[in-house]
Amino acid sequence: MADIIQLLPDHVANQIAAGEVVQRPASVVKELMENAIDAEATAIKLIVKEAGKTLIQVIDNGKGMSATDARLSFERHATSKIRSAEDLFSLHTKGFRGEALASIAAIAHIELKTKQPQDELGTQITIEGSEVSSQEFVVTPEGTSIAVKNLFFNIPARRNFLKSNTVELRHIIDEFHRVSLAHPNIAFIMYHNGSESFNLPESNYRQRVVNIFGGRTNEKLVPVDEETEVLKISGFVGKPEFAKKTKSEQFFFVNHRFIKSPYLNHAINAAFEGLMKDGCHPSYFLNLTVDPKSIDINIHPTKTEIKFEDEHTLYAILRSSVKHSLGQFNIAPVLDFERDTNLDTPYNYKDKNASTPFVEVNRDFNPFSDEKSAKVFSSVSYKKESAPWESLYVGMESKGTRDLKDFSEMEFESDHQTESIFSGDTQSETSQTTYQLHNKYIVSTIKSGMLLIDQHRAHQRVLYESLLKSLTVKEGISQQLLFPFKLEFTATELPILQQLKTDLESTGFVFSKIENDSVEIMGTPINVSENEISNILQQLIADVQQEIPDSHFSATDLLAKSMAKSMAIKNGQSLSKLEQEHLVNSLFACKESAVSPTNRTTFITMSVADMDKKFM
Ligand code: ADP
Ligand code: MG
């Protein structure tokens, strides 16, 4: 029988191999950008049309190729990057297989222009399905430009297999992010269908992350830096409160190469343990530097997986250094004791001249003596030109709900007595009605004993009911900002804001424009200071993202809860006597004073009988 084995012609072999290297347009983007980096470019431009289906072009200012090399570069296993098998173990380049250009050339139309610095003229080569159709000298800038057109033109099945432009573009952007994050010292620009999608100047790593993921990212980054004998780690993790519902912000780079490693990812999750909400994923942008000898990147053709010599050690180091960073930057628990919001100047007072304080003392004043005076404390501060401290609390206008008379009418579960719980006359004699404990609890005497209020939860309840009211009657009053300011949001966050816009306006927000990546704020609810706005809106977006799968989702209720949570006075904040009393009064004017909007106890009581028992 005759021999039947034949060697496949190159162009067939190339087409088969191309299937491995080039799965979709994004694979071409990756290969071309990596070649530009290997050529030591300092600026790289990516031009894409129709999600890469009609054009992918990468222009670099790297070292270029000679005419011979330009021709050779499209041959299979043609590489300038390794010479022997040993070189594989000290790899400092992205490429080394010499397959990419040959594979791409087998399945697309290619136009290459390249020039080395020392040459007068450059080379231009056109290739269609592995066939060189022309080669000539051209005038071209230093560096290389490779345009890949009509991908899979000769493999209709593959072409039809491509996903929608949105999906393919998403993959391209992912690759672009990975490559540009791994090389902040290189400038990158990306255009899609003629418009600029990213413009990333050469920068440090933090700026690169921020330039890609938006201005607001900056505040959420916690640096991680660690150097041991086997491993150097640098980069950032995101603060837990900014964690995403998706894994879109998780990046490991090993020796400047993006890798996927479920194992190392686990190490990060372990470091975040106890700090993350369910269903959230920490953001991380981490660069690991290891001895090239200790890794094997040869196990996967598209090279996103990697084998480490000593994975267990890496795991332990990674976990502990991330944990250390989170601890060092006081992430756990997240409490802001630093700033006293009482010291913030409300906007409308900012530019006013100081006037001599005028103090009028009403010596007969007793906040609990009758309905009228009690109302002074509980009335809604939205409504009048009030002292700044008053705007700290938004009480409930008690019309139609429950009239706040005085404490003597409040009933407590543990209060078995039917008469007044405050010891009536003795109150007016002792001015000491409330006392703040550890800047956290407010202690007050009631007739049956003692009342202990959690200031943060109590204020949440007060704000919540007030906000709900503003939202339903749409009467929120706004303070106009003298200097409107912009806040930046990501593409996923903006639609959520857009959706809540009307409700937010009912609470007193005024937005002038909602643009591509930012929102201009012209006015805020009257009792909110400017520097809290970003936090309030971010918290709100996160809460909405968290809640949407829940069918009972009510935008109004969620908004009120979320804003109340962000705006409420924090534990750790010291309150004046008047503020304490006002808070207590406002709390008991609420419809449901016993629990916070999230159903947590706002106050407890202890009767004299209970105390007596303790002293038995
Ligand atoms: P590899 O990157 O694995 O070496 P490629 O097929 O991607 O294989 O590229 C083949 C060769 O072509 C490279 O080794 C390099 O010498 C040369 N080359 C490719 N792209 C460029 C570029 N943008 N600038 C300079 N040389 C390049
Ligand atoms: Mg390559």
Side-chain angles (χ1 to χ4, degrees):
M1 197 177 160
D3 298 335
I4 52 168
I5 295 182
Q6 288 184 4
L7 282 177
L8 284 176
D10 271 359
H11 71 275
V12 180
N14 283 342
Q15 254 190 40
I16 295 169
E20 246 186 50
V21 180
V22 186
Q23 279 114 18
R24 52 179 9 132
S27 335
V28 176
V29 168
K30 173 173 189 276
E31 294 296 337
L32 297 186
M33 286 179 68
E34 290 190 346
N35 279 347
I37 289 164
D38 285 345
E40 290 158 21
T42 58
I44 297 173
K45 191 188 271 183
L46 169 66
I47 300 168
V48 173
K49 287 201 176 128
E50 288 184 67
K53 291 173 186 173
T54 50
L55 174 75
I56 297 162
Q57 184 174 14
V58 171
I59 304 169
D60 68 52
N61 63 352
K63 60 187 178 194
M65 284 177 269
S66 69
T68 321
D69 281 354
R71 184 73 174 249
L72 254 183
S73 66
F74 291 98
E75 296 295 324
R76 178 156 300 279
H77 307 306
T79 179
S80 55
K81 298 169 193 174
I82 55 170
R83 306 215 167 262
S84 66
E86 282 79 67
D87 293 347
L88 272 179
F89 302 103
S90 54
L91 212 55
H92 292 287
T93 55
K94 311 265 164 202
F96 58 91
R97 295 165 189 267
E99 276 184 328
L101 289 188
S103 299
I104 297 166
I107 49 163
H109 297 152
I110 292 193
E111 199 180 288
L112 164 80
K113 285 186 201 173
T114 185
K115 186 177 98 65
Q116 294 183 304
Q118 70 275 18
D119 291 341
E120 196 71 16
L121 283 176
T123 308
Q124 173 168 343
I125 295 181
T126 12
I127 300 183
E128 293 186 5
S130 300
E131 300 289 327
V132 177
S133 53
S134 78
Q135 169 159 7
E136 54 207 42
F137 289 106
V138 285
V139 177
T140 180
E142 260 169 47
T144 305
S145 154
I146 302 188
V148 175
K149 297 175 187 163
N150 310 320
L151 192 66
F152 299 127
F153 78 100
N154 51 359
I155 319 178
R158 291 297 297 277
R159 198 171 167 86
N160 297 336
F161 193 67
L162 291 178
K163 298 273 169 32
S164 70
N165 284 4
T166 325
V167 173
E168 294 301 339
L169 182 65
R170 185 70 247 164
H171 285 284
I172 290 178
I173 291 174
D174 283 348
E175 287 302 345
F176 181 82
H177 283 172
R178 292 167 184 177
V179 176
S180 55
L181 274 174
H183 299 276
N185 54 337
I186 299 177
F188 291 91
I189 293 191
M190 172 175 166
Y191 292 94
H192 183 238
N193 289 342
S195 55
E196 187 181 282
S197 317
F198 292 94
N199 187 342
L200 312 173
E202 178 194 345
S203 63
N204 63 27
Y205 192 50
R206 181 185 271 270
Q207 285 165 328
R208 176 56 51 95
V209 173
V210 170
N211 284 338
I212 294 177
F213 295 100
R216 209 183 45 74
T217 319
N218 196 20
E219 61 183 288
K220 73 180 191 189
L221 299 179
V222 178
V224 181
D225 279 294
E226 183 74 63
E227 196 160 356
T228 71
E229 282 190 358
V230 286
L231 169 71
K232 180 171 170 253
I233 306 172
S234 69
F236 304 95
V237 293
K239 293 181 189 167
E241 66 265 36
F242 293 102
K244 297 259 164 188
K245 298 289 277 179
T246 67
K247 299 182 179 179
S248 59
E249 291 186 1
Q250 302 194 327
F251 296 90
F252 277 124
F253 300 94
V254 173
N255 299 353
H256 301 292
R257 189 190 289 277
F258 172 80
I259 60 139
K260 283 185 183 149
S261 168
Y263 185 67
L264 295 185
N265 179 62
H266 193 276
I268 308 275
N269 287 335
F272 272 89
E273 204 175 86
L275 298 173
M276 301 295 291
K277 285 192 225 157
D278 275 353
C280 283
H281 305 281
S283 302
Y284 54 84
F285 313 89
L286 293 172
N287 299 297
L288 317 185
T289 314
V290 297
D291 182 348
K293 286 196 196 66
S294 72
I295 50 173
D296 178 6
I297 45 171
N298 210 1
I299 58 170
H300 195 274
T302 52
K303 295 169 282 181
T304 51
E305 274 151 38
I306 192 169
K307 232 166 54 192
F308 295 100
E309 213 171 64
D310 189 358
E311 269 195 330
H312 294 303
T313 315
L314 294 196
Y315 184 102
I317 298 174
L318 192 59
R319 185 181 147 213
S320 71
S321 43
V322 170
K323 234 185 152 130
H324 178 76
S325 290
L326 290 175
Q328 205 178 19
F329 286 83
N330 265 335
I331 306 305
V334 193
L335 283 179
D336 184 10
F337 290 110
E338 247 96 273
R339 234 193 60 236
D340 184 349
T341 41
N342 286 322
L343 299 177
D344 295 338
T345 317
Y347 233 95
N348 24 4
Y349 295 96
K350 204 168 170 171
D351 294 328
K352 287 193 178 164
N353 290 328
S355 55
T356 325
F358 171 70
V359 183
E360 189 182 40
V361 182
N362 173 3
R363 288 175 200 287
D364 301 326
F365 178 69
N366 168 11
F368 301 106
S369 61
D370 62 32
E371 179 178 353
K372 204 166 132 267
S373 55
K375 269 199 160 174
V376 170
F377 285 101
S378 66
S379 62
V380 178
S381 49
Y382 279 178
K383 292 283 168 67
K384 43 188 173 74
E385 275 281 0
S386 53
W389 64 265
E390 264 198 286
S391 68
L392 194 59
Y393 303 111
V394 185
M396 291 291 294
E397 190 98 86
S398 35
K399 233 183 290 152
T401 55
R402 181 204 292 184
D403 264 348
L404 177 76
K405 301 232 165 66
D406 66 24
F407 271 106
S408 60
E409 285 201 359
M410 314 307 300
E411 277 181 13
F412 301 99
E413 285 130 322
S414 59
D415 183 16
H416 300 298
Q417 290 159 307
T418 45
E419 348 123 299
S420 120
I421 57 165
F422 275 111
S423 354
D425 286 339
T426 49
Q427 282 300 314
S428 47
E429 284 152 21
T430 55
S431 60
Q432 186 83 355
T433 55
T434 60
Y435 176 78
Q436 196 185 19
L437 202 65
H438 291 287
N439 288 344
K440 191 174 179 190
Y441 297 109
I442 296 169
V443 186
S444 187
T445 45
I446 49 173
K447 193 168 181 192
S448 69
M450 186 181 88
L451 180 66
L452 195 61
I453 298 172
D454 180 312
Q455 64 183 43
H456 177 63
R457 290 184 192 172
H459 197 212
Q460 268 192 52
R461 163 54 62 182
V462 173
L463 290 169
Y464 170 71
E465 292 199 1
S466 155
L467 283 161
L468 264 191
K469 192 178 170 204
S470 309
L471 283 163
T472 25
V473 300
K474 312 221 178 296
E475 59 152 18
I477 292 180
S478 172
Q479 62 187 351
Q480 285 289 311
L481 298 180
L482 282 178
F483 306 103
F485 65 100
K486 276 192 179 174
L487 288 178
E488 291 185 15
F489 295 94
T490 68
T492 36
E493 294 167 345
L494 272 175
I496 297 176
L497 268 193
Q498 200 58 274
Q499 175 198 329
L500 295 172
K501 186 165 175 268
T502 327
D503 277 338
L504 281 167
E505 282 165 351
S506 320
T507 70
F509 277 100
V510 183
F511 304 105
S512 76
K513 340 177 208 182
I514 298 194
E515 289 172 335
N516 282 344
D517 58 352
S518 68
V519 172
E520 189 174 27
I521 306 213
M522 311 277 290
T524 64
I526 203 156
N527 50 339
V528 171
S529 83
E530 186 184 331
N531 43 24
E532 287 174 293
I533 301 295
S534 168
N535 189 18
I536 290 174
L537 293 179
Q538 282 307 329
Q539 182 62 53
L540 179 62
I541 289 168
D543 287 342
V544 171
Q545 283 175 326
Q546 188 88 353
E547 282 296 322
I548 276 174
D550 186 346
S551 52
H552 304 298
F553 172 71
S554 142
T556 323
D557 187 62
L558 188 106
L559 187 98
K561 271 190 192 146
S562 174
M563 282 181 64
K565 182 170 63 187
S566 316
M567 286 159 58
I569 46 164
K570 306 279 182 290
N571 290 333
Q573 189 167 325
S574 126
L575 301 177
S576 73
K577 268 279 114 56
L578 218 48
E579 289 166 347
Q580 295 169 27
E581 283 167 6
H582 182 67
L583 179 57
V584 176
N585 280 338
S586 306
L587 175 66
F588 290 105
C590 286
K591 287 189 195 153
E592 281 190 60
S593 42
V595 288
S596 77
T598 49
N599 259 328
R600 319 277 288 274
T601 309
T602 50
F603 67 85
I604 53 168
T605 54
M606 200 183 209
S607 67
V608 175
D610 289 339
M611 292 180 211
D612 288 346
K613 269 190 219 136
K614 299 241 180 240
F615 287 101
M616 289 235 279

